[in-house]
Amino acid sequence: MVKIKNKIFQIFLEVNRKFEEYPMYGTNKILWKNYAERNGFQYIFIDYNNVEKYLGKYKQFYDELKYVWNQIDFLKYIVINQHSGIYIDLDIAPKDNNDLFKLLERDHIVGIWKDPKTNKYEVSNSIIGFPAGALDELVNYSIAEYVHKLNMEIYKIRKIRFMKHTTGVCMFKRYCKSKKIEPDIVINDYIIDYESKAWLSNFN
């Protein structure tokens, strides 16, 4: 079985606020960087200073994405698909003495959240881990959904819905459902997801 590589990726692309204006992000970045050093992971932080090196053949599509939040989500998928490892949102912190590396034996790692309306766990794209090449179909599906919905009138008004259904969590959930990837609450043994939902307050 092809394993997930012991790499941790985190991404920050400025929307309306600078990185320093998110104290939680700064704290969690340090926590994951320290975790990586202690446990033999390579820690990689992607921002505007180095994002170009990760875009490859998708650079034109990425550059044409309508919103920065589209870019952040799409970047997650192409980075993990190309390099393997674990992508982790900046509002997620490691639990003390956790053994996240044990999950590298799995064929995938997928985050979860608890829907307050249904009280059920749902798939989330806040943390994802896959072997290299495992997300070819997801990348292509996201591109197709974006192109299909780009000029629909409803999505010109409902901007957040457009983001969620083209590159975001709703699109990702449909993909996981098609691949029979179920939410796995074991991930909560290793991380704390503060679910800050920054994209709701400063969506651009």
Side-chain angles (χ1 to χ4, degrees), residues 91-193:
D91 58 358
I92 292 176
K95 286 188 175 178
D96 291 341
N97 302 315
N98 81 69
D99 295 324
L100 186 69
F101 56 84
K102 290 180 180 178
L103 297 180
L104 298 178
E105 300 295 326
R106 297 177 171 225
D107 59 0
H108 65 264
I109 300 168
V110 173
I112 61 168
W113 71 287
K114 196 169 188 179
D115 188 336
K117 295 180 181 179
T118 64
N119 207 35
K120 294 181 179 179
Y121 286 103
E122 301 280 352
V123 165
S124 167
N125 65 350
S126 59
I127 174 170
I128 60 172
F130 288 85
L135 295 181
D136 284 337
E137 291 183 41
L138 171 64
V139 172
N140 291 333
Y141 178 57
S142 182
I143 292 172
E145 288 294 276
Y146 182 89
V147 172
H148 176 64
K149 293 178 170 59
L150 179 60
N151 294 315
M152 290 185 177
E153 290 300 321
I154 188 173
Y155 292 117
K156 293 178 181 178
I157 299 170
R158 304 186 68 176
K159 297 177 181 180
I160 292 178
R161 183 176 177 85
F162 174 76
M163 181 274 291
K164 291 172 69 175
H165 282 269
T166 56
T167 59
V169 65
C170 294
M171 180 282 301
F172 185 71
K173 284 169 64 175
R174 292 196 300 272
Y175 168 81
C176 288
K177 184 177 181 179
S178 73
K179 298 298 179 183
K180 296 181 170 55
I181 297 174
E182 299 291 336
D184 189 350
I185 62 172
V186 73
I187 195 70
N188 283 347
D189 293 338
Y190 303 93
I191 58 101
I192 303 170
D193 189 347

Side-chain angles (χ1 to χ4, degrees), residues 9-52:
F9 293 91
Q10 295 194 289
I11 297 169
F12 181 82
L13 302 179
E14 184 179 327
V15 182
N16 288 334
R17 297 160 64 188
K18 297 183 182 301
F19 185 79
E20 293 75 17
E21 297 179 66
Y22 293 91
M24 177 191 295
Y25 289 6
T27 297
N28 289 342
K29 178 185 176 184
I30 293 170
L31 289 173
W32 283 114
K33 189 174 182 180
N34 291 342
Y35 174 86
E37 291 174 354
R38 291 195 308 270
N39 293 283
F41 281 73
Q42 180 183 3
Y43 178 84
I44 301 165
F45 185 73
I46 301 174
D47 59 14
Y48 285 125
N49 292 314
N50 62 353
V51 67
E52 294 283 329

